[in-house]
Amino acid sequence: MEERFRVFKEVAETKNITLSAKRLHVSQPSISLQIQNLENEYGARFFDRTNKGVALTNEGQIFYPYVLSILDILSNAKEQICALAKDQRQRIYLGATLTIGEYILPSILAFLHKTQPEVEFKVKIANTESISKDVLEKKIHIGLIEGPVPWHKDFNVESFWEDELVVVIPYFHHWASRDSITLAELPQERLISREGGSGTRRVMEMALKERGFDPNQLNVTMELGSTQAIKQLVSAGLGITIISSLTVSRECDRGLLKILRIQDFPIYRPLSIITNAQTTQTKDERIFINLLHDHRLLSDVLSKDNNELEEYENKLCLTHPAVSSQEGQEHWQGH
């Protein structure tokens, strides 16, 4: 029956029996027989045949989306069965947008490499559109997105963190003795910003507009696609910026930069997990997702430098059941 569905799908999409036979590597009579058997099975005519090719009848148009759904379900079943048979369940395909990929994911992967060395990660860093597309096409199992997530019926979306956008200044700036500034003070300083269309820039401008502030009033002197480059220019005194607090925590700890908040105007954006609703997560993927939802553990992991992780993990194994044993991992998944 699956073969008949594949033949139906191919003919419906190519509208040509000869081309369908070529693509499926079967004879034209075989294609015609499969269609005839399918029509006999359902007691309906699915195609109108003409000298120019074939076209779906009304019945065929109704039948088409059901065939796609059935083939998709069968494909998912085969993937999971093959994963069990070949022990591929220990490979996780991840995608992340820039801020998450540069400043959150490395610490998480370093931590998991110590606690679950048998798990292999394949990672893609790209923009929201690219990551979302790959999740829909099942090229990526888990996508991590900053800011708004495009809606799609096949997306499962879970927020795992709230990222705050803050004003960042060099440690020697004349505002350095302060903890906050007013919205009206922002245009007084040269602003180094992420490029137009970036997630950070979009969230910042939307938040300003919600407060009745025109983003065009900002004195944007440079636009860059690299957060690291922006931080270097700010630390050199060439301007201030508005970026994720996650990206500057270590520079602030070292006294190179300082964070200021805008009075009565916090700017938050969600960090989200997106998965394909038509795909079931493996055990290892669920462990990864549960780590992201464990705010205490995630905060601890993100606060550590790589050279601190080993000592931290040894201590953590004594206190956190998720890391200390296989039984603990099962317990963690239930939270």
Side-chain angles (χ1 to χ4, degrees):
M1 184 61 74
E2 182 181 353
E3 183 61 28
R4 293 180 188 176
F5 288 151
R6 294 193 182 282
V7 168
F8 173 89
K9 174 180 178 294
E10 192 67 35
V11 174
E13 292 175 354
T14 64
K15 300 180 176 62
N16 187 295
I17 290 178
T18 302
L19 180 57
S20 297
K22 183 178 180 180
R23 289 186 175 183
L24 295 173
H25 305 289
V26 297
S27 66
Q28 293 183 43
S30 177
I31 292 284
S32 298
L33 181 61
Q34 293 276 27
I35 293 296
Q36 182 180 345
N37 289 338
L38 195 62
E39 291 177 332
N40 290 339
E41 177 76 21
Y42 285 87
R45 183 167 53 84
F46 292 139
F47 294 97
D48 283 327
R49 296 158 178 81
T50 68
N51 292 332
K52 296 181 179 180
V54 295
L56 287 171
T57 62
N58 290 336
E59 292 85 350
Q61 291 175 4
I62 293 172
F63 194 51
Y64 178 71
Y66 288 101
V67 168
L68 294 184
S69 179
I70 291 168
L71 290 174
D72 194 43
I73 290 170
L74 291 174
S75 175
N76 288 336
K78 287 180 179 179
E79 284 180 11
Q80 294 192 40
I81 292 170
C82 287
L84 282 172
K86 298 179 181 179
D87 196 26
Q88 292 178 342
R89 297 172 70 82
Q90 294 186 320
R91 176 175 293 177
I92 299 177
Y93 291 85
L94 294 175
T97 47
L98 188 62
T99 296
I100 298 174
E102 287 189 347
Y103 296 98
I104 296 180
L105 204 52
S107 294
I108 295 173
L109 295 184
F111 172 76
L112 288 175
H113 177 70
K114 300 280 189 177
T115 58
Q116 293 178 274
E118 72 281 2
V119 179
E120 179 183 357
F121 294 89
K122 300 291 185 181
V123 181
K124 174 180 180 178
I125 308 300
N127 59 31
T128 296
E129 181 181 358
S130 178
I131 299 300
S132 302
K133 181 174 181 290
D134 282 352
V135 170
L136 284 176
E137 295 178 355
K138 303 177 185 176
K139 296 176 182 177
I140 288 175
H141 299 166
I142 301 170
L144 305 178
I145 302 292
E146 58 206 69
V149 178
W151 183 90
H152 193 283
K153 63 181 179 63
D154 286 336
F155 275 159
N156 280 332
V157 181
E158 309 168 62
S159 178
F160 72 93
W161 196 272
E162 268 205 334
D163 180 28
E164 184 178 7
L165 299 187
V166 293
V167 177
V168 178
I169 61 174
Y171 74 95
F172 51 80
H173 194 276
H174 62 89
W175 287 344
S177 61
R178 301 169 59 177
D179 293 322
S180 64
I181 61 169
T182 65
L183 194 58
E185 290 177 287
L186 270 180
Q188 298 174 14
E189 298 291 316
R190 296 187 302 273
L191 186 73
I192 304 170
S193 175
R194 283 293 303 274
E195 77 283 9
S198 75
T200 299
R201 178 75 171 264
R202 190 161 53 245
V203 170
M204 176 190 75
E205 292 180 345
M206 288 173 57
L208 292 174
K209 288 177 181 178
E210 287 174 1
R211 297 299 192 280
F213 184 93
D214 183 359
N216 291 324
Q217 295 180 43
L218 297 173
N219 182 21
V220 178
T221 57
M222 281 183 271
E223 297 180 338
L224 300 173
S226 166
T227 299
Q228 191 62 34
I230 290 175
K231 291 191 296 182
Q232 290 175 348
L233 291 172
V234 171
S235 65
L238 297 183
I240 67 173
T241 191
I242 300 176
I243 52 176
S244 162
S245 61
L246 290 169
T247 67
V248 293
S249 57
R250 290 175 182 169
E251 287 84 357
C252 290
D253 290 342
R254 290 158 53 197
L256 298 175
L257 299 171
K258 180 171 182 179
I259 285 176
L260 299 178
R261 287 174 170 82
I262 303 174
Q263 295 172 14
D264 303 318
F265 182 53
I267 304 177
Y268 293 102
R269 62 175 176 178
L271 303 185
S272 301
I273 305 163
I274 60 171
T275 54
N276 193 309
Q278 306 302 321
T279 302
T280 303
Q281 278 79 56
T282 67
K283 184 180 77 171
D284 293 317
E285 289 167 358
R286 290 196 301 272
I287 288 175
F288 177 83
I289 290 172
N290 285 341
L291 167 60
L292 296 178
H293 284 306
D294 188 331
H295 285 189
R296 180 187 64 80
L297 179 58
L298 185 57
S299 295
D300 287 342
V301 170
L302 294 179
S303 68
K304 305 297 177 184
D305 290 321
N306 287 340
N307 56 7
E308 297 179 280
L309 281 174
E310 185 172 355
E311 178 183 355
Y312 174 68
E313 287 147 6
N314 290 334
K315 293 179 181 178
L316 190 62
C317 285
L318 300 176
T319 59
H320 202 295
V323 180
S324 60
S325 67
Q326 181 63 33
E327 180 182 356
Q329 287 182 357
E330 297 294 338
H331 174 71
W332 187 13
Q333 292 172 39
H335 286 168

